[in-house]
Structure formats: structure tokens, C-alpha cells
Amino acid sequence: MAETVTLIDHETIRDWAAARAGAPAIVDVSPEAGTQPMLRLVFGQHAYADTGQAERPANAGGYELVEWDEWFRLFDAAHLALVVGKDVPGRRDSYHEFVRRPD
């Protein structure tokens, strides 16, 4: 694995995602709607909402695109950081993972 960088700053995360056509999303992994959200970043075509798809219950799987403010509220509440691959000239890697923030 190449070198990584840990991101916490909201603008830096937003810029990193925007450079890769990324959008904030939430997956509800709870047995009861709205009780256990999991953060995601989706890229490319997946970053666009499909307004033609049928409505589904909030916890039926899949992801929901959300505004950055809501995403960062959950990100900060869970004390997360985003680990990404260090930028390499000529390549836009979308590798990322969520980790607990270092103290």
C-alpha cells in the first residue's frame, strides 16, 4: 500500500472527495430505521441520485445521498478521521477508510 494521509478537516475532506467526483452518503445498517447510520463516500455515477427509483423504507439497504453538513455532524460525533492514499501525480486514487481519530 502506498503512503496514506489522515484527514479530519472538513474542507480538506470535501476537496478530496470533489476531486474524485465523490459525494457524502449514509447507509442505515440498523434493524430499526435511523438508529445506526454508517458513513460512506460514493464516487462516479453512484454519486448521483436516481429520482426515478421506487421509494423504499429508510433501513432497506443501499445508501442515501446526504448534505455535507449532516455527514460531518455524524463524522464528528463518532470521532472519525478519513485515511486516504497520498496523492500521486497523474493518478486519482479513491482509496479511503474511516478510522477513529488519534487522540
Side-chain angles (χ1 to χ4, degrees), residues 1-98:
M1 177 66 199
E3 289 184 59
T4 60
V5 178
T6 301
L7 307 178
I8 296 171
D9 178 71
H10 293 187
E11 284 305 312
T12 305
I13 293 170
R14 219 184 277 228
D15 290 346
W16 181 89
R20 290 153 181 82
I26 296 175
V27 176
D28 189 351
V29 294
S30 60
E32 191 175 308
T35 60
Q36 192 175 353
M38 180 175 71
L39 295 177
R40 294 256 330 255
L41 290 172
V42 293
F43 300 92
Q45 280 300 112
H46 300 291
Y48 296 101
D50 182 1
T51 55
Q53 76 185 106
E55 290 294 316
R56 66 178 195 271
N59 63 339
Y63 61 86
E64 175 187 355
L65 295 176
V66 295
E67 296 295 324
W68 280 111
D69 289 342
E70 180 179 357
W71 193 90
F72 281 124
R73 181 181 56 77
L74 294 167
F75 180 81
D76 290 337
H79 302 286
L80 295 176
L82 183 68
V83 175
V84 300
K86 194 169 188 176
D87 282 339
V88 175
R91 196 172 85 200
R92 285 285 180 194
D93 189 6
S94 62
Y95 164 79
H96 67 283
E97 69 176 306
F98 296 97

